[in-house]
Amino acid sequence: QVVIQFKPVPHQMFPSIAADHWEQNRLILNIQPKEGIVMRFQAKQPGKGMRLRTVNMDFFYEDSFNVQPPEAYETLLYDVMLGDGTLFMRADQE
């Protein structure tokens, strides 16, 4: 898992009482075992008043495509057998 935590803004555009707990925005890249991407940020709850809550916007391969992802290097080895070099670096690439 790789977590990228965004820097806090230099000013707060929402009142300090709008959230019980202030949390910085995060981009989370899940590599193994459940591949996917999650964006965590604070959003205003619908309705009157100003209440913020931390929410997730997420994408997981297994959930979205209803298939089990291939094992490690399975796709690359298959491409080697087919002679497809699309996912491989070449000496003339910059």
Side-chain angles (χ1 to χ4, degrees), residues 1-2 28-38 58-75:
Q1 186 178 69
V2 177
I28 303 165
L29 307 171
N30 292 308
I31 309 298
Q32 282 287 341
K34 188 171 180 173
E35 294 88 351
I37 301 170
V38 177
D58 55 9
F59 163 77
F60 293 100
Y61 283 95
E62 189 176 336
D63 298 341
S64 296
F65 300 115
N66 295 322
V67 296
Q68 195 72 339
E71 291 294 320
Y73 299 107
E74 182 179 336
T75 303

Side-chain angles (χ1 to χ4, degrees), residues 37-91:
I37 301 170
V38 177
M39 180 72 185
R40 287 183 59 83
F41 56 94
Q42 291 191 316
K44 180 188 177 297
Q45 292 181 10
K48 295 181 180 180
M50 180 61 70
R51 293 297 304 157
L52 300 177
R53 190 175 112 200
T54 301
V55 296
N56 289 343
M57 182 182 295
D58 55 9
F59 163 77
F60 293 100
Y61 283 95
E62 189 176 336
D63 298 341
S64 296
F65 300 115
N66 295 322
V67 296
Q68 195 72 339
E71 291 294 320
Y73 299 107
E74 182 179 336
T75 303
L76 291 175
L77 292 172
Y78 184 69
D79 288 345
V80 167
M81 291 187 292
L82 293 177
D84 182 359
T86 306
L87 299 177
F88 294 90
M89 290 294 295
R90 295 180 2 186

